[in-house]
Amino acid sequence: MSSEDEMVVTPWKVAGKVDYEKLIRQFGTQPLTKEILEKLKKYAGSLHYLIRREFFFCHRDFDWILNLYEKGEKFVLYTGRGPSGPVHLGHLLPWIFTKHLQDVFGAKLYFQMTDDEKFLLHHNFTIEKSVGYTYDNALDVIAIGFDKKKTKIISDVKNIKALYEISIKIAKHVNFSVVRAVFGFEESTNIGLIFFPAVQAAPCFLESVLTGKKVPCLIPAAIDQDPYWRVTRDVAPKLGFYKPAQIHSKFLPGLGKGGKMSASQPETCIFTTDPPEVAEKKVFNAFTGGQPTAEEQRRLGGNPEVCTVYQYMFYLFEEDDKKVRELWENCKSGRIICGECKSILAKKVKDFLVEHQRRREKARNIVDEYFLEI
Ligand code: TRP
């Protein structure tokens, strides 16, 4: 294996080919079992496609949260975003599922914008820039359709008053040696980042603090955030809170070869603010599993398993299981060639962006109402 392929999954870096089974073992999370999914189905009616297609694939204590709910104890949801740039389609997937959970369970949501983290992490990044992205990215969050009455967005920089007491209580129980081991901090790491895990932990307990009751918390998030929750779960009982439960997602691959996606290569991801024609071009330039010529494709069939266009259909744009299976079979058998498939995806992407951008613009009028008042 070349070093380029080596899997790295940390809160600040995801690289190489990601082996999700291995991550379950490495991180010590639990796979989503049939029993858990049956229980979820009881409330959700049918299973969300992001669960059916295993985009959300493992958890901690999700069964426990569902059991409490069954007994009448409501939980809060908590998720977030590091506002370091514009939002792309991959970011939306966990939010789409979080919205589904909010609808199904009538749950309140805290959404943290870690504008402090991104300021501390990146060179040449000003506070104004990260706070600016907080408000910009909040438009995308609101466009997903979260219930205004049940959703509070937190800017760490602007709303720190709400989090500070909880953060220092957490911080007092976490040694440097622990965060060094968990996050790979070094002697040269700035002390803001060393404290930061306490700030990301705080929203897990915010509802409990504000209501004076122990409220369970469920975090839908990509698996790279798990190190934060490991530390948070250790501290929770010491402060008299429930350990936060989690449900973890995979990452949406980019449009480049090998599913690479990076903000420094904007052609490999579709931003929510891309003009639809620009997004269309990105789709037409995407890496596929196709054969070099149409003739060979007809004869040999394509390879949807490595195709980024197929992945986008699978995870984002074709919720109908029957249609997505047909697409797979038509590709495998050479009945459909890449140009046709790209056209289908491009049309869906364009329609999606037009609608998302409309909702995003509308959100400008109400964005302030979503932010925490504290
Ligand atoms: N650290 C996350 C990021 O860089 C942002 C974040 C904060 C988050 N709290 C969260 C993500 C809770 C998921 C769940 O993207």
Side-chain angles (χ1 to χ4, degrees):
M1 193 161 63
S2 73
S3 62
E4 203 189 311
D5 289 336
E6 205 175 328
M7 173 170 82
V8 180
V9 177
T10 75
W12 302 304
K13 189 175 179 204
V14 177
K17 183 162 173 29
V18 182
D19 178 341
Y20 291 104
E21 291 303 313
K22 193 167 162 190
L23 279 183
I24 289 184
R25 275 178 274 123
Q26 263 181 11
F27 286 3
T29 59
Q30 306 296 316
L32 286 164
T33 61
K34 270 213 178 73
E35 292 74 44
I36 297 177
L37 297 187
E38 276 308 312
K39 192 156 275 185
L40 176 58
K41 208 169 164 183
K42 244 174 69 184
Y43 298 104
S46 59
L47 289 177
H48 194 271
Y49 76 97
L50 289 172
I51 287 274
R52 291 201 309 273
R53 306 213 178 138
E54 295 179 15
F55 186 71
F56 277 83
F57 72 108
C58 70
H59 75 106
R60 277 203 176 94
D61 281 346
F62 185 47
D63 46 348
W64 167 79
I65 280 260
L66 291 175
N67 288 339
L68 283 186
Y69 185 83
E70 200 159 48
K71 291 189 202 125
E73 205 171 331
K74 279 203 148 194
F75 58 86
V76 287
L77 293 162
Y78 163 39
T79 193
R81 152 97 183 130
S84 55
V87 168
H88 59 64
L89 295 186
H91 298 130
L92 300 182
L93 287 173
W95 306 351
I96 289 169
F97 184 63
T98 302
K99 149 99 168 83
H100 166 74
L101 291 176
Q102 177 173 68
D103 292 346
V104 167
F105 295 101
K108 191 164 171 179
L109 164 69
Y110 288 108
F111 193 108
Q112 182 178 43
M113 294 287 189
T114 56
D115 33 26
D116 51 348
E117 176 192 23
K118 297 301 155 179
F119 166 70
L120 290 164
L121 190 64
H122 297 302
H123 297 289
N124 300 322
F125 212 74
T126 61
I127 299 235
E128 290 72 24
K129 205 164 162 182
S130 55
V131 172
Y133 278 126
T134 285
Y135 288 97
D136 168 88
N137 293 180
L139 301 176
D140 291 292
V141 173
I142 296 167
I144 296 296
F146 291 107
D147 182 344
K148 189 163 57 150
K149 289 195 212 72
K150 293 204 170 111
T151 304
K152 286 294 163 205
I153 303 177
I154 305 167
S155 153
D156 285 350
V157 172
K158 295 294 175 194
N159 302 119
I160 193 58
K161 193 164 181 287
L163 303 180
Y164 194 61
E165 259 194 53
I166 316 174
S167 300
I168 57 174
K169 283 185 187 163
I170 296 163
K172 200 169 176 177
H173 288 284
V174 185
N175 295 329
F176 177 57
S177 59
V178 168
V179 288
R180 181 173 49 194
V182 172
F183 296 96
F185 291 150
E186 293 167 356
E187 294 282 315
S188 59
T189 303
N190 73 60
I191 60 173
L193 278 178
I194 294 166
F195 176 70
F196 175 74
V199 179
Q200 182 153 330
C204 298
F205 311 132
L206 186 55
E207 187 67 5
S208 299
V209 169
L210 294 179
T211 59
K213 285 188 298 232
K214 257 170 108 161
V215 184
C217 173
L218 172 65
I219 309 169
I223 184 78
D224 62 320
Q225 299 298 304
D226 181 64
Y228 287 107
W229 320 131
R230 293 204 291 267
V231 174
T232 311
R233 285 169 60 87
D234 278 348
V235 175
K238 297 181 187 156
L239 297 176
F241 299 121
Y242 286 131
K243 293 183 178 193
Q246 299 135 244
I247 181 158
H248 294 300
S249 80
K250 300 176 178 174
F251 312 105
L252 182 72
L255 294 169
K257 187 164 191 276
K260 286 238 161 45
M261 166 152 57
S262 93
S264 58
Q265 286 172 285
E267 68 281 5
T268 59
C269 47
I270 295 168
F271 295 103
T272 59
T273 47
D274 276 346
E277 316 76 59
V278 170
E280 179 173 46
K281 273 208 199 83
K282 290 180 182 179
V283 171
F284 277 105
N285 290 327
F287 175 78
T288 71
Q291 304 294 348
T293 66
E295 184 277 318
E296 282 168 282
Q297 175 95 1
R298 298 259 180 239
R299 188 158 45 85
L300 304 167
N303 299 299
E305 55 277 15
V306 299
C307 178
T308 63
V309 172
Y310 178 77
Q311 298 260 343
Y312 274 63
M313 294 293 276
F314 188 73
Y315 286 129
L316 254 169
F317 291 107
E318 187 47 81
E319 286 186 36
D320 185 330
D321 289 345
K322 196 167 146 256
K323 285 197 181 147
V324 89
R325 205 173 322 115
E326 268 168 25
L327 186 64
W328 173 279
E329 283 160 9
N330 287 342
C331 175
K332 276 272 177 209
S333 63
R335 274 196 294 271
I336 186 168
I337 58 175
C338 297
E340 298 169 61
C341 207
K342 283 175 170 171
S343 300
I344 297 171
L345 178 63
K347 163 99 176 56
K348 286 182 186 271
V349 168
K350 279 196 294 184
D351 290 351
F352 173 84
L353 287 179
V354 168
E355 175 59 12
H356 184 84
Q357 287 166 9
R358 190 188 63 77
R359 289 160 153 267
R360 207 179 176 278
E361 285 312 304
K362 248 179 77 187
R364 287 187 196 278
N365 306 320
I366 46 169
V367 59
D368 291 338
E369 296 166 44
Y370 272 87
F371 275 82
L372 200 68
E373 299 83 11
I374 312 166

